[in-house]
Amino acid sequence: MSFEASIWYLVALLTLGTGAYVVFTRNIVRAAFALVFTFLGVAAMYVFLRADFLAAAQLLIYGGGITVLLLFGVMLTHRHEGMELKLDPLKALPAVAIAGGFFVAIWSAARRADWDLVAPVEPVGTSEAIGSAIMTTHLLPFEEISVLLLVVLIGALFVARRSGEEEGS
Amino acid sequence: MRAYFRNIYEGLKSAVAGLRVTFGYLFKKSVTVHYPFEEVKVANGFRGLHHLKVDICIACNQCANACPVSCIEQTFDRIDKENVLVSRFSIDYNKCLFCWYCIPVCPTECITMGAEYELATFDRKSLDYDLVARGERTAKRNMTLFREEFVQVIEKVREKKPELAEKAEGLMGDPRVGLCGRNPEKDKSASSGFVEEEADSQASVSEEVAP
Amino acid sequence: MSELAQNLTLPGALLAGLSPGVAAMLVMFASCAAVLGVVALNGMFLVWWERKISAHIQSRVGPMTTGYWHGWLQSIADGVKLLLKENIIPLMADRWLFMLAPLVVFMSAFMAFVPIPWGEKLIVADLNVGVLYIAAITSLSAIGVIMAGWASNNKWSLYGGMRAAAQIVSYEIPVGLALVPALLASSTLSMQGIVEVQAGGIWNWNIFAGGPFTIVAFGALFLASLAEVNRAPFDLPEAESELVCGFHTEYSGMCFAFFFLAEYSEMFVVAVVASVLYLGGWHDPLGLGILPGPVVLMAKVLLLVFVQMWFRWTFPRLRVDQLMYLAWKVLTPLGFINVFGAAFWLILV
């Protein structure tokens, strides 16, 4: 096993282990913190796949941004003592069914796929290619995403404003 | 909109003003005194450790009475109607709160507060200071000043109280012990007369003693 | 890390006989040790320096005795003291998260040193997305701060953590916008590439590339990055007068030392980012190339760090609403103006 491969297995273990912890723990704050490490592991996976821009974006947006917001939300919404998630069998069953179905679908796709084993390539910068693709061939989807985000933002503002008015009156 | 830009402008202006002030201070001479290595100059009227001019102390005990924490204790022997031998004037600095009450009540102004303040010690008992012992030089001068008179007094006393005379004689060599006259005016004249007489030999001592 | 191995001939010769895997591992550990050494030395020096600057601004003298010359060994004495001190974990704290938090904060500060270009060939790893990587890694320290605030099970710590979260989320946007004009001017994300573009004297630096817009962007970057690393006047997460010590109230011993070291490392990193992006990195102002790169970079970085400390000992702490006002209503619109202005300037001028 090469050095890179051993690091890969370590990262895979980190990603899967923290991911499993997110699913199985009952402490919601700990789950949120474990999610950070899952995102970090995924970013490391992107590095192994020579997708450096994606890895940095993953770190910046998921590691630094989304999880901070998530933790902020968790800490604001529940009491200080540490809320325990309750497991409801009626809710667990459909969840297990959906997750199992999804796993089977992915597994079968992975089995059927025609995996080309190529020699590892020297990492090349991907940010330039991504940038020019977004600005030329995929300009319309990019703009649509911005419009979608704007709509979401205005919606969030609207929701926040209404609840604020109710408190005021 | 105008208020918004005005706000930003004011913020920047005050920030620059503040930065200028602190940058100026960066190169000003610092006021720190490197205390254990340098001497700290105390203010006028600083209430530090007490000083006793043992030659004018009349052992009236008023300072001890005035003390709110009873930290002053005087040990003295009455030699005759006019003279008193103060062998110990102790201030317990464990108790003393440096309130200055002992100073104004003194009829001869023999007790004052000085500029010393270092009291740190490893042993609590060592804070029981003997002012007679501390005022070594004053006492030495006193002994020399009053030697003649002192000898006369001892001779007078010897008939009535031989043991006291003996004690006083034994203490005569001890520079820590003060003999005190009742009359400060008389003492002053004696003092000045002495300085004229033996100015050469005692010049250094009287200089240090001079307030 | 391969760049470093190639650039240093001596380790290269030593590693020639080894198998590639072992060689890569050795190079990696050597790089980590080098970065760790820089982080530790830098932290110790900056702590001493800050104490000196704060002292002289306040007409004091600061540490004077340790090491005989102006207390220059004070940081080492403090470090030894913190190492030997007991590491207290509160009974009701979340043990694992409590221990993990300083490591997360330190790790993010430590990893940000990797793509710093010290000289023409002196760089641990010249990442293609270096600037983005640093922005991402330094934002991870917020996770550690929130973790510390939460795990301490202490209301002050929790408030500190929450403030850190709000602050980081707000200030990532102005920081990102202030980075963009420099990236436009040098059209690369690699730290080394950005420095190479600015060769040949002060007039080629990015700060003058976009006219007034890049100058303003540099100021905005400096200000916003101060907030990002929780330095005064934006030190709300650890506001001593309100929250005792904020998120690290409960920390002691070596865990506290990690937070401390991370703070000074982050200060250093943001100063490096500002000087690499706008002030020409390891290029000297006259374009002579006589001085070695690390010396030039250190001079610029220490100047910026000095300004950070000068700010800290000048300004009082902002209120939370003032902080948000500055981020959303001043720095963010300013960032957009800078981006567009610099872009037009670069095209037209």
Side-chain angles (χ1 to χ4, degrees), chain C residues 18-340:
Chain C
L18 298 165
S19 74
V22 177
M25 203 158 78
L26 281 180
V27 169
M28 197 181 91
F29 281 124
S31 315
C32 283
V35 173
L36 198 62
V38 170
V39 168
L41 273 179
N42 164 62
M44 287 197 287
F45 173 70
L46 289 190
V47 168
W48 174 80
W49 210 38
E50 166 131 54
R51 290 181 68 170
K52 278 298 186 189
I53 287 175
S54 68
H56 282 284
I57 281 179
Q58 297 167 352
S59 294
R60 298 182 287 119
V61 289
M64 283 304 277
T65 43
T66 321
Y68 296 103
W69 184 80
H70 286 268
W72 68 283
L73 284 175
Q74 187 63 46
S75 299
I76 294 176
D78 287 348
V80 171
K81 181 200 76 174
L82 285 171
L83 261 172
L84 296 175
K85 272 179 110 169
E86 188 190 358
N87 187 21
I88 301 163
I89 302 175
L91 194 65
M92 296 302 282
D94 192 332
R95 266 189 95 82
W96 284 98
L97 289 183
F98 190 83
M99 295 294 282
L100 195 60
L103 297 182
V104 170
V105 173
F106 182 70
M107 182 197 72
S108 91
F110 170 72
M111 281 170 76
F113 275 73
V114 168
I116 292 175
W118 292 95
E120 200 174 351
K121 292 185 170 175
L122 205 61
I123 181 165
V124 178
D126 184 17
L127 300 177
N128 258 313
V129 287
V131 177
L132 207 57
Y133 168 84
I134 288 191
I137 282 288
T138 47
S139 73
L140 279 184
S141 71
I143 302 278
V145 169
I146 300 167
M147 202 185 272
W150 169 264
S152 299
N153 204 355
N154 171 326
K155 53 189 158 196
W156 293 305
S157 300
L158 190 63
Y159 272 125
M162 300 280 277
R163 283 183 179 188
Q167 192 170 326
I168 290 277
V169 168
S170 312
Y171 273 86
E172 215 141 82
I173 293 152
V175 167
L177 287 171
L179 294 174
V180 172
L183 301 180
L184 288 175
S186 41
S187 59
T188 173
L189 281 172
S190 141
M191 296 283 274
Q192 190 68 278
I194 293 168
V195 176
E196 275 158 11
V197 167
Q198 304 176 63
I202 192 167
W203 46 88
N204 285 341
W205 289 0
N206 278 342
I207 190 165
F208 301 119
F213 298 105
T214 34
I215 297 173
V216 176
F218 172 73
L221 173 69
F222 184 77
L223 213 59
S225 59
L226 267 187
E228 181 120 23
V229 300
N230 301 333
R231 283 285 295 183
F234 310 107
D235 58 342
L236 285 108
E238 48 177 289
E240 288 97 340
S241 47
E242 307 153 36
L243 303 178
V244 189
C245 240
F247 61 91
H248 57 66
T249 304
E250 297 286 0
Y251 281 88
S252 56
M254 210 49 209
C255 284
F256 172 75
F258 271 127
F259 276 123
F260 214 59
L261 205 57
E263 184 190 331
Y264 283 91
S265 303
E266 278 171 357
M267 278 167 68
F268 187 81
V269 166
V270 297
V272 165
V273 169
S275 52
V276 162
L277 283 175
Y278 285 103
L279 301 181
W282 43 263
H283 289 305
D284 54 297
L286 297 173
L288 299 171
I290 299 166
L291 287 167
V295 175
V296 179
L297 184 72
M298 273 311 270
K300 289 172 185 174
V301 168
L302 287 184
L303 185 72
L304 287 181
V305 169
F306 165 74
V307 178
Q308 289 181 357
M309 293 174 177
W310 182 18
F311 269 46
R312 173 170 177 184
W313 298 102
T314 304
F315 298 128
R317 190 179 308 114
L318 265 67
R319 252 181 3 238
V320 181
D321 62 316
Q322 291 170 332
L323 187 86
M324 292 299 158
Y325 182 93
L326 186 63
W328 292 107
K329 291 190 175 172
V330 180
L331 289 178
T332 307
L334 193 68
F336 280 116
I337 292 169
N338 282 332
V339 170
F340 288 116

Side-chain angles (χ1 to χ4, degrees), chain B residues 77 79 85-87 132 136-158 163-180:
Chain B
D77 288 304
I79 293 170
L85 182 75
V86 180
S87 55
V132 178
E136 191 177 315
R137 287 193 185 284
T138 327
K140 200 186 261 172
R141 188 187 76 157
N142 167 56
M143 286 305 288
T144 353
L145 268 177
F146 289 90
R147 183 172 292 269
E148 277 176 33
E149 198 182 348
F150 191 48
V151 171
Q152 285 170 16
V153 170
I154 290 172
E155 291 312 316
K156 259 203 270 178
V157 167
R158 200 186 290 279
E163 72 285 344
L164 184 59
E166 223 160 273
K167 187 177 170 186
E169 235 170 9
L171 286 170
M172 237 169 86
D174 188 344
R176 296 181 300 135
V177 177
L179 171 81
C180 303

